[in-house]
Amino acid sequence: MSQTDPAPNPTGDPAVPPALQDDKTMPLVVYVLYLVGLFNGLTAVVGVILAYASKAAAPEWIQSHYIFQIRTFWLSLLFAVIGCVLLPIGIGFVILPAVGIWMAVRCILGLSWLLKGQAYPTPRNWMI
């Protein structure tokens, strides 16, 4: 009689920690860094670096959050630069707060999807 390894437990063993690649911690940290970056600007740069560094090793559903976060950073930077250029004619005073609100809404929506354990449905969208 030959011995075979028992079949893996499909429900998972609670004593074994979850796979690191399924960990939601890093995308959560990036969203928080972006929200803090609305006040200081620098933590958003750290957040986008972490998103780029973590994207390749992540499962597909978490990759959607990283794609969303990277696009959020670059689009907000683009719109903020446009707002700064338009400050002398007064339109920038409207654009810059709108960019902050837009970024905050995107981060909150992304956090909502992440905490539900779901991929962001439209990570390449420009709006929400």
Side-chain angles (χ1 to χ4, degrees):
M1 195 159 81
S2 68
Q3 283 187 331
T4 59
D5 290 332
N9 185 358
T11 60
D13 185 0
V16 177
L20 182 61
Q21 62 183 345
D22 288 336
D23 191 13
K24 295 186 262 185
T25 304
M26 190 56 69
L28 177 73
V29 167
V30 174
Y31 282 123
V32 170
L33 288 171
Y34 280 8
L35 289 170
V36 173
L38 292 171
F39 300 102
N40 69 13
L42 296 177
T43 58
V45 175
V46 174
V48 77
I49 291 169
L50 289 174
Y52 272 117
S54 303
K55 184 176 110 173
E60 188 175 331
W61 77 273
I62 292 181
Q63 279 185 1
S64 72
H65 287 277
Y66 289 132
I67 292 167
F68 180 71
Q69 292 167 339
I70 291 167
R71 287 185 57 84
T72 298
F73 175 82
W74 290 112
L75 290 172
S76 64
L77 182 64
L78 172 68
F79 297 144
V81 167
I82 291 170
C84 287
V85 168
L86 296 175
L87 275 174
I89 59 173
I91 298 172
F93 291 107
V94 175
I95 293 174
L96 289 176
V99 171
I101 293 169
W102 174 82
M103 188 169 185
V105 168
R106 282 179 65 102
C107 288
I108 292 168
L109 287 173
L111 274 170
S112 171
W113 285 102
L114 179 68
L115 295 176
K116 288 190 276 187
Q118 298 176 351
Y120 195 86
T122 54
R124 289 183 167 81
N125 246 2
W126 280 62
M127 292 305 290
I128 305 289

